[in-house]
């Protein structure tokens, strides 16, 4: 049997060797099948003989380099067939290395492109997260400073937007609860005006000086008499009625229940003429009944540097008015 037409060219080829390792092709292939190459095939064949037929067929052939001529350097692989012949494959070595180089270059290019895309996406995600975190941090600082009316939102409908919405709702609930707590902490439970704790906070935070400050100190005239003769419920009603009179003339934030039957009104930033008008209206309402609701003492200071001292002075004036009340109404003397 003789096969014609196997040729070795630039793209390589395939050829058969007989049992004597002679090419079953054109004679010019004998230049490629050197003695060293034949010995190499014999050695591989001796190893394959130790395997069964199935393992021989499936065994992976070794690859060897062989120069055919000055222009063609081939990689040669040999497969042993069951009929004893050998099938050899020729592939130009330069082509293999060019393919490998091209694959490496393409892999590097793909890797660089993927890396750049990853960096761009990472930068965008980081920028978005950083912007969101800055907003949330600013809101957290506002809350820590006592400002609970904060709101933060994002255009994206993602987890950060959900977090921002939850954060805003939590801040609003905290603010609502804080206002309730402050109202309870700083308000008198009976009359609804400010309490002594509120005044202590005001004294602790009073600036070095406050321009145009007016103080009115009041002491109910008939509380003990009412409690002794009509009971404490009637006395509580008297306190609430008087607190309502004060609220009709002054802001609730300015009215403080100083003690059991004592009230103090502190008005900041009021000119003396306006303070006198308020005082005149209050005195008019205070004397509408047959017996004045309260004895009062008032004082206005152009530049108040010590609020407690101003209150004490107004209280002393109230005691003078109280003494006059007892002279006129001795039956209410305690």
């Amino acid at each position: 049997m003789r096969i014609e037409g196997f040729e070795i060219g630039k793209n390589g080829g395939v050829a058969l060797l007989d049992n004597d390792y002679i090419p079953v092709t054109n004679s010019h292939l004998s230049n490629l099948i050197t003695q060293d190459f034949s010995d190499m095939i014999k050695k591989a064949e001796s190893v394959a003989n130790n395997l069964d037929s199935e393992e021989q067929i499936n065994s992976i052939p070794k690859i060897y380099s062989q120069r055919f001529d000055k222009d063609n350097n081939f990689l040669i692989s040999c497969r042993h067939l069951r009929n004893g012949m050998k099938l050899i494959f020729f592939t130009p070595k330069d082509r293999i290395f060019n393919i490998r180089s091209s694959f490496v270059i393409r892999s590097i290019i793909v890797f660089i492109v993927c890396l750049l895309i990853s960096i761009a996406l990472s930068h965008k995600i980081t920028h978005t997260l950083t912007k969101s975190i800055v907003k949330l941090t600013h809101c957290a600082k506002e809350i820590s400073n006592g400002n609970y009316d904060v709101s933060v939102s994002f255009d994206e409908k993602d987890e950060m937007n959900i977090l921002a919405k939850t954060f805003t709702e939590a801040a609003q609930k905290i603010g609502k609860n804080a206002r309730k707590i402050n109202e309870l902490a700083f308000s008198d439970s009976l009359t609804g005006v400010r309490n002594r704790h509120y005044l202590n906070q005001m004294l602790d935070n009073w600036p070095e000086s406050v321009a145009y400050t007016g103080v009115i100190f009041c002491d109910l005239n008939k509380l003990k008499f009412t409690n002794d003769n009509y009971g404490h419920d009637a006395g509580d009603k008297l306190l609430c009625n008087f607190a309502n009179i004060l609220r009709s003339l002054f802001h609730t934030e300015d009215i403080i229940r100083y003690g059991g039957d004592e009230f103090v009104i502190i008005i900041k930033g009021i000119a003396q003429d306006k303070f006198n008008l308020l005082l005149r209206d209050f005195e008019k309402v205070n004397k509408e009944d047959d017996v004045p609701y309260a004895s009062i003492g008032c004082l206005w200071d152009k530049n108040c540097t010590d609020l407690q001292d101003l209150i004490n002075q107004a209280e002393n004036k109230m005691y003078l008015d109280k003494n006059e009340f007892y002279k006129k109404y001795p039956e209410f003397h305690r």
Side-chain angles (χ1 to χ4, degrees), residues 51 78 81 84 122 128 130 134 155-156 198 207 225 255 259 261 270-271 298-299 304 308 322 325:
L51 306 174
C78 178
L81 305 179
S122 209
T128 302
T130 302
V134 168
D155 296 333
E156 299 80 5
Y198 177 83
F225 175 84
I255 308 167
D261 57 356
I270 185 170
C298 59
L299 196 68
C304 179
Q308 185 62 64
K322 177 69 74 173
F325 172 79

Side-chain angles (χ1 to χ4, degrees), residues 1 34 75 105 110 166 239 242 318:
M1 177 181 179
T34 62
L75 291 176
I105 292 172
V110 171
T166 304
L239 286 167
F242 184 68
M318 180 276 298

Side-chain angles (χ1 to χ4, degrees), residues 9 35 37 42 44 51 127 133 176 213 227 253 294 306 309 314:
Q35 185 63 41
F37 183 70
K42 291 178 182 179
L51 306 174
H127 175 73
I133 291 171
K176 184 178 180 180
T213 303
N227 287 333
E253 292 74 15
D306 188 341
D309 181 63

Side-chain angles (χ1 to χ4, degrees), residues 5-272:
F6 281 111
E7 295 184 357
I8 304 300
K10 291 183 179 181
N11 294 325
V14 62
L16 288 172
L17 302 182
D18 60 17
N19 293 334
D20 297 324
Y21 305 100
I22 297 173
V24 189
T25 56
N26 294 331
S27 60
H28 66 271
L29 286 177
S30 60
N31 296 329
L32 181 63
I33 310 304
T34 62
Q35 185 63 41
D36 292 337
F37 183 70
S38 298
D39 293 341
M40 174 268 295
I41 296 175
K42 291 178 182 179
K43 184 177 179 180
E45 191 175 40
S46 65
V47 174
N49 288 333
N50 296 326
L51 306 174
D52 59 33
S53 59
E54 190 67 27
E55 290 176 326
Q56 289 183 37
I57 293 174
N58 295 328
S59 62
I60 299 175
K62 295 183 181 297
I63 298 176
Y64 303 91
S65 177
Q66 183 71 22
R67 180 173 291 282
F68 178 58
D69 55 35
K70 65 178 182 178
D71 296 323
N72 296 302
N73 190 14
F74 290 89
L75 291 176
I76 303 174
S77 176
C78 178
R79 168 74 71 177
H80 297 273
L81 305 179
R82 288 181 177 180
N83 59 8
M85 300 183 73
K86 292 81 182 169
L87 184 64
I88 57 175
F89 301 89
F90 302 85
T91 303
K93 193 173 183 179
D94 292 342
R95 185 185 178 196
I96 294 295
F97 287 129
N98 288 339
I99 293 174
R100 185 179 68 178
S101 299
S102 176
F103 175 76
V104 171
I105 292 172
R106 289 178 182 179
S107 298
I108 292 173
I109 292 174
V110 171
F111 172 77
I112 292 173
V113 171
C114 291
L115 181 61
L116 291 175
I117 293 174
S118 299
I119 292 173
L121 290 175
S122 209
H123 175 74
K124 182 178 179 180
I125 293 172
T126 302
H127 175 73
T128 302
L129 287 175
T130 302
K131 184 179 179 181
S132 303
I133 291 171
V134 168
K135 284 186 177 181
L136 291 174
T137 301
H138 174 72
C139 290
K141 288 181 179 179
E142 289 295 315
I143 292 173
S144 66
N145 292 330
N147 178 20
Y148 302 104
D149 297 324
V150 295
S151 177
V152 56
S153 62
F154 304 102
D155 296 333
E156 299 80 5
K157 303 299 181 182
D158 54 10
E159 288 77 6
M160 289 302 298
N161 189 58
I162 295 174
L163 176 61
K165 184 178 179 181
T166 304
F167 190 87
T168 301
E169 291 175 352
Q172 292 173 351
K173 287 182 180 179
I174 291 172
K176 184 178 180 180
N177 292 334
R179 284 188 288 271
K180 287 183 179 179
I181 292 171
N182 287 336
E183 189 67 24
L184 293 173
F186 296 122
S187 296
D188 179 59
S189 59
L190 177 63
T191 62
V193 299
R194 297 295 178 253
N195 57 18
R196 188 66 177 266
H197 181 58
Y198 177 83
L199 176 61
N200 292 336
Q201 290 287 321
M202 183 184 294
L203 292 171
D204 291 339
N205 297 295
W206 193 258
E208 292 184 359
S209 64
V210 176
Y212 301 167
T213 303
V215 173
I216 303 172
F217 201 102
C218 308
D219 185 277
L220 281 178
N221 289 325
K222 300 184 292 184
L223 182 61
K224 187 176 186 305
F225 175 84
T226 303
N227 287 333
D228 293 342
N229 291 275
Y230 304 104
H232 287 277
D233 288 342
D236 290 344
K237 185 176 180 180
L238 179 64
L239 286 167
C240 292
N241 289 339
F242 184 68
N244 290 333
I245 290 173
L246 294 178
R247 267 199 292 260
S248 68
L249 296 169
F250 309 103
H251 295 296
T252 301
E253 292 74 15
D254 297 334
I255 308 167
I256 301 167
R257 188 178 178 188
Y258 194 75
D261 57 356
E262 297 173 333
F263 293 82
V264 62
I265 300 98
I266 301 172
I267 309 172
K268 295 182 290 185
I270 185 170
Q272 188 173 15

